[in-house]
Amino acid sequence: MTSPLPPFDWDIFCTVVDNFGDIGVTWRLARQLEREGHGEVRLWVDDLASFARICPGLNPALDRQWVEGIHIQRWQGPLPADAIPARVVIEAFACELPAPFIKRMAEQSPPPCWINLEYLSAESWVEDCHGLASPQRVGKLSLDKFFFFPGFTAKTGGLLCEQGLIAERERWQQDEAGLAAYWASLGLPPRAQDELRISLFTYESEALKSLVQCWSQGATPVTLLLPLGRSLNDVLSGAGLESAIDTTRAGDLLQAGQLAIKLLPMTSQADYDRLLWSCDLNLVRGEDSFVRAQWAARPFLWHIYPQDDQAHIAKLNDFLDHYLSSLPDLADLPTDAAHWLRAFNHALNHGQDVRELWAQWPQFGTIWQQHARSWSQKLLADGDLVTRLVKFLESRI
């Protein structure tokens, strides 16, 4: 006989859209809420198989289970009869709650606080919409749904960042013996003095072929840490290793001129954070890895999720306007470096040849590193997302 479930403080609903992005964000949110003492969390997920690839302790065959203090509930078919809505219900990325669940919410007294957690955006209109209520009719009853926008300014919801994360990053990056042990755990020697170590987790892009070609033919040794995924074919093609595309496996170490490619399996979020902290440059995609690259305080390029109407390019520009602007009380990014960074991000997202851009890394790499550290400090000036979310809810529960 199963034990009755406790009353939950948080229900978080997530539809897995692009394998790891949406579930990556909601899983981090759920764990931070639980670990920082904000109550019991239930996470509803429609695709447990994809979820399990970033959460090794999850069994995708089970409909309900506890993992790291979070109750994971498969979100498919009719709702469980005992699913009483929590005090706060989060609809992640407009995933549309089941109508029976909304009805149960409306029948509660007082009703739960309903949050629509939106995608991260640097667009200017986000500040005006953040925190707005949208009245919802449920039969003869009504509920307010509040829009909560993650963002990069004090007038938005901020970014997910767990307490202690930055201190942990600092300890990691300053521990030479620990870094050597980390590289050894991946089957690699310690980083050589003149070597670059780069992680790459992007979508497909023709730009990758020219970039990888630069690394393999250049004068600087490069080790590329490549989680298996959508960019594999472009990377191996650029390295002249097309014949290995169908036979490569996680753990393989491939060599092409000055470039060594270490293939990695999909891993836990904590291990991915450490990979970002350890590399000199990170190429990331989507939302979750994009945010974690910023907390790594290392140079990064963002491959934003492509949209047919090119709306993603406007969103990229809005972010770069923030990222490349002067930072109060911190060193300004030189104009030529800012122009180079903007061009590099655009070339990656447009699939353009990047050989001339990469040739300027020796000129701008150091100032980019300094800017990345200053940027990560600026982002936390007004608090992280969970801190802002809890404060937002205090007057509404």
Side-chain angles (χ1 to χ4, degrees), residues 261-282:
I261 303 173
K262 181 66 178 183
L263 298 176
L264 305 178
M266 290 300 300
T267 187
S268 69
Q269 291 180 318
D271 283 340
Y272 184 64
D273 283 339
R274 296 184 188 106
L275 175 65
L276 296 173
W277 298 346
S278 304
C279 289
D280 302 294
L281 170 65
N282 297 300

Short mmCIF file of all heavy atoms in Angstrom, two decimals, residues 261-282:
data_model
loop_
_atom_site.label_atom_id
_atom_site.label_comp_id
_atom_site.label_asym_id
_atom_site.label_seq_id
_atom_site.Cartn_x
_atom_site.Cartn_y
_atom_site.Cartn_z
N ILE A 261 39.10 15.91 -30.37
CA ILE A 261 37.66 15.95 -30.09
C ILE A 261 37.33 14.84 -29.11
O ILE A 261 37.48 13.65 -29.42
CB ILE A 261 36.84 15.76 -31.38
CG1 ILE A 261 37.22 16.83 -32.42
CG2 ILE A 261 35.34 15.83 -31.07
CD1 ILE A 261 36.58 16.61 -33.78
N LYS A 262 36.90 15.23 -27.92
CA LYS A 262 36.48 14.26 -26.90
C LYS A 262 34.96 14.20 -26.89
O LYS A 262 34.29 15.20 -26.62
CB LYS A 262 37.00 14.67 -25.52
CG LYS A 262 36.64 13.71 -24.41
CD LYS A 262 37.31 12.35 -24.59
CE LYS A 262 36.97 11.40 -23.44
NZ LYS A 262 37.67 10.11 -23.57
N LEU A 263 34.41 13.03 -27.21
CA LEU A 263 32.96 12.86 -27.26
C LEU A 263 32.44 12.48 -25.88
O LEU A 263 32.94 11.53 -25.26
CB LEU A 263 32.60 11.79 -28.28
CG LEU A 263 33.00 12.11 -29.73
CD1 LEU A 263 32.68 10.95 -30.65
CD2 LEU A 263 32.29 13.38 -30.21
N LEU A 264 31.45 13.23 -25.42
CA LEU A 264 30.91 13.04 -24.07
C LEU A 264 29.47 12.55 -24.14
O LEU A 264 28.71 12.95 -25.03
CB LEU A 264 30.94 14.36 -23.30
CG LEU A 264 32.29 15.07 -23.19
CD1 LEU A 264 32.12 16.39 -22.44
CD2 LEU A 264 33.31 14.18 -22.48
N PRO A 265 29.04 11.74 -23.18
CA PRO A 265 27.62 11.38 -23.10
C PRO A 265 26.83 12.54 -22.53
O PRO A 265 27.40 13.45 -21.91
CB PRO A 265 27.63 10.19 -22.14
CG PRO A 265 28.79 10.47 -21.23
CD PRO A 265 29.84 11.13 -22.11
N MET A 266 25.52 12.54 -22.72
CA MET A 266 24.67 13.48 -21.98
C MET A 266 24.85 13.19 -20.51
O MET A 266 25.00 12.04 -20.09
CB MET A 266 23.21 13.32 -22.39
CG MET A 266 22.92 13.79 -23.80
SD MET A 266 23.31 15.55 -24.07
CE MET A 266 22.23 16.34 -22.88
N THR A 267 24.84 14.25 -19.70
CA THR A 267 25.20 14.09 -18.30
C THR A 267 24.25 14.87 -17.42
O THR A 267 23.33 15.53 -17.90
CB THR A 267 26.65 14.55 -18.09
OG1 THR A 267 27.06 14.26 -16.76
CG2 THR A 267 26.78 16.06 -18.33
N SER A 268 24.48 14.82 -16.13
CA SER A 268 23.65 15.57 -15.19
C SER A 268 23.92 17.06 -15.33
O SER A 268 24.95 17.48 -15.87
CB SER A 268 23.95 15.13 -13.75
OG SER A 268 25.25 15.56 -13.37
N GLN A 269 23.00 17.87 -14.82
CA GLN A 269 23.17 19.30 -14.92
C GLN A 269 24.37 19.78 -14.11
O GLN A 269 25.09 20.69 -14.53
CB GLN A 269 21.89 20.00 -14.46
CG GLN A 269 20.73 19.80 -15.42
CD GLN A 269 19.48 20.50 -14.96
OE1 GLN A 269 19.14 20.49 -13.79
NE2 GLN A 269 18.76 21.11 -15.89
N ALA A 270 24.61 19.17 -12.96
CA ALA A 270 25.76 19.56 -12.14
C ALA A 270 27.07 19.30 -12.89
O ALA A 270 27.99 20.12 -12.87
CB ALA A 270 25.74 18.82 -10.81
N ASP A 271 27.15 18.16 -13.56
CA ASP A 271 28.37 17.85 -14.31
C ASP A 271 28.52 18.79 -15.51
O ASP A 271 29.65 19.15 -15.88
CB ASP A 271 28.34 16.39 -14.79
CG ASP A 271 28.66 15.42 -13.67
OD1 ASP A 271 29.25 15.84 -12.66
OD2 ASP A 271 28.29 14.24 -13.79
N TYR A 272 27.41 19.18 -16.12
CA TYR A 272 27.50 20.11 -17.24
C TYR A 272 28.00 21.48 -16.76
O TYR A 272 28.80 22.13 -17.44
CB TYR A 272 26.15 20.24 -17.94
CG TYR A 272 26.22 21.13 -19.17
CD1 TYR A 272 27.00 20.77 -20.27
CD2 TYR A 272 25.53 22.34 -19.22
CE1 TYR A 272 27.08 21.58 -21.39
CE2 TYR A 272 25.60 23.16 -20.34
CZ TYR A 272 26.38 22.78 -21.42
OH TYR A 272 26.46 23.59 -22.53
N ASP A 273 27.52 21.91 -15.59
CA ASP A 273 28.03 23.16 -15.02
C ASP A 273 29.55 23.11 -14.88
O ASP A 273 30.26 24.06 -15.24
CB ASP A 273 27.41 23.42 -13.65
CG ASP A 273 25.99 23.94 -13.73
OD1 ASP A 273 25.61 24.47 -14.79
OD2 ASP A 273 25.26 23.82 -12.74
N ARG A 274 30.06 22.00 -14.37
CA ARG A 274 31.51 21.89 -14.15
C ARG A 274 32.27 21.91 -15.48
O ARG A 274 33.37 22.44 -15.55
CB ARG A 274 31.81 20.61 -13.37
CG ARG A 274 31.21 20.63 -11.96
CD ARG A 274 31.59 19.39 -11.16
NE ARG A 274 30.85 19.36 -9.92
CZ ARG A 274 29.83 18.55 -9.65
NH1 ARG A 274 29.46 17.67 -10.58
NH2 ARG A 274 29.21 18.59 -8.50
N LEU A 275 31.68 21.34 -16.51
CA LEU A 275 32.30 21.40 -17.83
C LEU A 275 32.42 22.85 -18.29
O LEU A 275 33.48 23.28 -18.76
CB LEU A 275 31.48 20.59 -18.83
CG LEU A 275 31.94 20.64 -20.29
CD1 LEU A 275 33.31 20.00 -20.46
CD2 LEU A 275 30.91 19.95 -21.21
N LEU A 276 31.35 23.62 -18.14
CA LEU A 276 31.37 25.02 -18.53
C LEU A 276 32.40 25.81 -17.73
O LEU A 276 33.10 26.67 -18.26
CB LEU A 276 29.98 25.63 -18.35
CG LEU A 276 28.85 25.07 -19.23
CD1 LEU A 276 27.51 25.67 -18.81
CD2 LEU A 276 29.10 25.34 -20.70
N TRP A 277 32.47 25.53 -16.42
CA TRP A 277 33.42 26.24 -15.56
C TRP A 277 34.87 25.95 -15.97
O TRP A 277 35.75 26.76 -15.73
CB TRP A 277 33.24 25.82 -14.10
CG TRP A 277 31.91 26.13 -13.50
CD1 TRP A 277 30.93 26.96 -13.99
CD2 TRP A 277 31.39 25.60 -12.27
NE1 TRP A 277 29.85 26.97 -13.15
CE2 TRP A 277 30.10 26.15 -12.09
CE3 TRP A 277 31.89 24.72 -11.32
CZ2 TRP A 277 29.32 25.85 -10.98
CZ3 TRP A 277 31.11 24.42 -10.21
CH2 TRP A 277 29.83 24.97 -10.04
N SER A 278 35.10 24.78 -16.56
CA SER A 278 36.47 24.31 -16.81
C SER A 278 37.02 24.75 -18.15
O SER A 278 38.24 24.68 -18.37
CB SER A 278 36.50 22.77 -16.72
OG SER A 278 36.02 22.32 -15.47
N CYS A 279 36.14 25.16 -19.07
CA CYS A 279 36.58 25.45 -20.44
C CYS A 279 36.92 26.93 -20.63
O CYS A 279 36.46 27.79 -19.88
CB CYS A 279 35.51 25.02 -21.43
SG CYS A 279 35.35 23.23 -21.58
N ASP A 280 37.73 27.20 -21.64
CA ASP A 280 38.12 28.58 -21.98
C ASP A 280 37.04 29.28 -22.80
O ASP A 280 36.97 30.52 -22.80
CB ASP A 280 39.42 28.56 -22.79
CG ASP A 280 40.55 27.87 -22.04
OD1 ASP A 280 40.98 28.40 -21.00
OD2 ASP A 280 40.99 26.79 -22.49
N LEU A 281 36.24 28.52 -23.51
CA LEU A 281 35.17 29.06 -24.36
C LEU A 281 34.06 28.02 -24.42
O LEU A 281 34.34 26.82 -24.53
CB LEU A 281 35.70 29.34 -25.77
CG LEU A 281 34.68 29.68 -26.87
CD1 LEU A 281 33.98 31.00 -26.57
CD2 LEU A 281 35.35 29.74 -28.24
N ASN A 282 32.81 28.48 -24.33
CA ASN A 282 31.66 27.58 -24.38
C ASN A 282 30.71 28.03 -25.48
O ASN A 282 30.31 29.20 -25.52
CB ASN A 282 30.92 27.56 -23.04
CG ASN A 282 31.79 27.04 -21.91
OD1 ASN A 282 32.26 25.91 -21.95
ND2 ASN A 282 32.02 27.87 -20.89
#
